[in-house]
Amino acid sequence: MLFSIALILLVGMFAGWLCGKVKLPNLLGMIVTGIILGPYVLNLVDDSILRISADIRKIALIIILTRAGLTLHLQDLKRVGRPAVLMCFVPAVFEILGMIFLAPKLLGITVLEAAIMGAVVGAVSPAVIVPKMIRLIETGYGTNKGIPQLVLAGASVDDVFVIVLFTVFTGLAQGEKISYMSFLNIPASVFLGIFFGVLSGFCMAIFFEKVHIRDSAKVIILLSVSFLLVTLEDCLTTPITFSALVAIMFIGISLQKYRSAVAARLAVKFNKLWVGAEILLFVLVGTTVDIRYALSAGMAAVILIAGVLLFRMAGVFCCLLATELSFKERLFCMAAYIPKATVQAAIGGVPLAMGLGCGNIVLTVAVLAILITAPLGAFLIDISYKKLLVQTKE
């Protein structure tokens, strides 16, 4: 295991550095590292790591969402308002509808199978988007109109909506009836996540004020509470649950509101944690990619992904109607909402494991979506933000 961890960190970091040197996103090198080292090519990653890969990726996601919360101000979220709420579900709905329209024609699958595929591909990747939006907030690009906050908030909730739809569609494919409680659970889980996150952050703010401990100890407490929230969400079997990832982000937001000095110092600590967590996250995402599926997909699958991305971008554009954003700023938001990785790696193989007839093709399109959109979206954000957004601070 230790050899595999060393290999993941060293090769992943070097490949990311190489990609940065040629103006490509670092995560591309990390994903490619995972593909090469993973079980489908060289098979150099220990099985014990692959078995806990999903948990490691979730820990990395917790780190970056906590970091995002420690950066966000509540007034910024209030300022973006209606568009942020719409960005949580409208682009995903557009993309799923695009998949339902295009996939039966291009791949010869049924409408329900296309809906399942749309739910897998429709989730945006907070792991790709959140670090880049944090960077824009810190450097002042687009913050005059709350653009990075808008994209960050939408990307953090988008996954909740899409995963619920995925559960509903796969249930229908297995002969289950539609549960209206599943749809009610979408807003309920978000609001309960916000409530638990704000409450936890408030309690921590009081505790940190009364009990003087090192910032490193505060990081351990914050991470431990986050892990407990994720575990609680996984253990709940009630019709109404809560979104642990939303709660984790709002812990940071609440802490930032009530103890801003502590939040600022903790943000620095989480930045350092992200250096290693980022490598682990994207290399392990790469290990889930079976390159054989991508090679066997054919041009129809590539055209399909390009087509549904246009639907998604149209959805983002609709969310931003009647706002003060310029055309350039709207164009940036459309590009920023392209990347996919974490959710596709997590649920892309589920239909196949369920024995659904569309399992192979869904997994193939999910793999291609990661390989195409994660580096493409990251690249478009990196090359466009200085041209399309206004910088309000150095």
Side-chain angles (χ1 to χ4, degrees):
M1 180 187 283
L2 294 179
F3 173 74
S4 296
I5 293 173
L7 207 57
I8 288 170
L9 292 173
L10 292 174
V11 179
M13 186 164 53
F14 179 69
W17 175 80
L18 279 181
C19 284
K21 283 293 183 182
V22 294
K23 307 301 181 184
L24 291 172
N26 292 4
L27 66 87
L28 176 60
M30 297 171 195
I31 291 175
V32 171
T33 297
I35 293 172
I36 295 171
L37 297 181
Y40 305 109
V41 183
L42 297 181
N43 195 25
L44 293 178
V45 179
D46 194 272
D47 288 341
S48 57
I49 293 177
L50 295 177
R51 283 195 295 270
I52 60 171
S53 171
D55 293 321
I56 296 173
R57 284 184 275 130
K58 188 165 282 188
I59 290 170
L61 192 55
I62 287 170
I63 288 171
I64 196 56
L65 285 176
T66 304
R67 176 66 184 87
L70 293 169
T71 304
L72 278 173
H73 297 264
L74 275 177
Q75 57 266 33
D76 290 336
L77 289 179
K78 291 176 183 176
R79 183 152 56 97
V80 294
R82 176 188 61 86
V85 175
L86 294 177
M87 291 278 276
C88 295
F89 65 93
V90 171
V93 169
F94 270 63
E95 187 163 4
I96 292 170
L97 291 175
M99 189 69 78
I100 291 172
F101 177 73
L102 295 174
K105 295 179 175 62
L106 290 170
L107 301 179
I109 60 178
T110 67
V111 170
L112 180 55
E113 289 171 339
I116 293 171
M117 185 182 294
V120 171
V121 176
V124 75
S125 176
V128 178
I129 292 174
V130 170
K132 295 192 175 297
M133 294 306 108
I134 290 173
R135 178 181 166 195
L136 296 188
I137 292 171
E138 291 174 342
T139 54
Y141 280 95
T143 51
N144 60 322
K145 296 181 182 177
I147 293 169
Q149 293 91 334
L150 165 69
V151 175
L152 194 157
S156 302
V157 180
D158 171 276
D159 294 356
V160 178
F161 174 71
V162 170
I163 289 172
V164 170
L165 289 185
F166 173 75
T167 304
V168 171
F169 293 147
T170 51
L172 285 174
Q174 292 182 309
E176 299 174 8
K177 293 182 179 179
I178 294 178
S179 170
Y180 295 103
M181 290 299 290
S182 297
F183 292 101
L184 179 61
N185 190 40
I186 296 172
S189 65
V190 173
F191 287 118
L192 285 173
I194 292 172
F195 171 76
F196 285 122
V198 171
L199 180 62
S200 301
F202 177 71
C203 292
M204 274 190 232
I206 294 175
F207 178 76
F208 292 156
E209 185 178 8
K210 302 293 184 184
V211 181
H212 297 286
I213 54 177
R214 296 177 60 183
D215 287 339
S216 300
K218 292 171 186 172
V219 169
I220 293 172
I221 292 171
L222 190 47
L223 284 175
S224 298
V225 171
S226 300
F227 297 162
L228 289 173
L229 287 171
V230 170
T231 303
L232 179 60
E233 182 192 18
D234 291 341
C235 291
L236 284 177
T237 56
T238 54
I240 299 297
T241 60
F242 73 100
S243 171
L245 294 182
V246 172
I248 287 162
M249 189 171 73
F250 271 85
I251 289 175
I253 293 173
S254 180
L255 194 57
Q256 199 275 341
K257 176 177 174 58
Y258 295 111
R259 295 283 289 168
S260 57
V262 171
R265 296 199 305 271
L266 292 182
V268 175
K269 297 282 187 182
F270 275 90
N271 263 351
K272 294 176 181 177
L273 283 176
W274 177 242
V275 173
E278 180 185 28
I279 300 169
L280 287 171
L281 173 63
F282 290 114
V283 172
L284 290 176
V285 165
T287 62
T288 66
V289 173
D290 188 342
I291 198 67
R292 293 171 297 178
Y293 283 111
L295 295 175
S296 66
M299 189 52 64
V302 176
I303 294 171
L304 176 63
I305 291 170
V308 296
L309 281 180
L310 292 177
F311 273 84
R312 183 177 193 86
M313 293 170 78
V316 174
F317 187 82
C318 289
C319 293
L320 303 177
L321 292 174
T323 64
E324 60 179 7
L325 270 61
S326 67
F327 177 75
K328 285 184 176 181
E329 290 164 337
R330 296 181 191 192
L331 197 62
F332 173 81
C333 292
M334 291 159 68
Y337 237 54
I338 287 176
K340 305 167 189 299
T342 40
V343 174
Q344 289 71 30
I347 66 174
V350 171
L352 183 61
M354 288 179 168
L356 299 181
C358 62
N360 267 319
I361 189 63
V362 169
L363 180 57
T364 300
V365 173
V367 168
L368 270 181
I370 294 171
L371 292 177
I372 293 172
T373 65
L376 174 64
F379 178 70
L380 290 176
I381 292 171
D382 288 344
I383 66 166
S384 68
Y385 74 92
K386 289 184 179 179
K387 301 174 183 175
L388 301 180
L389 302 180
V390 175
Q391 187 180 25
T392 52
K393 68 177 182 180
E394 291 296 332

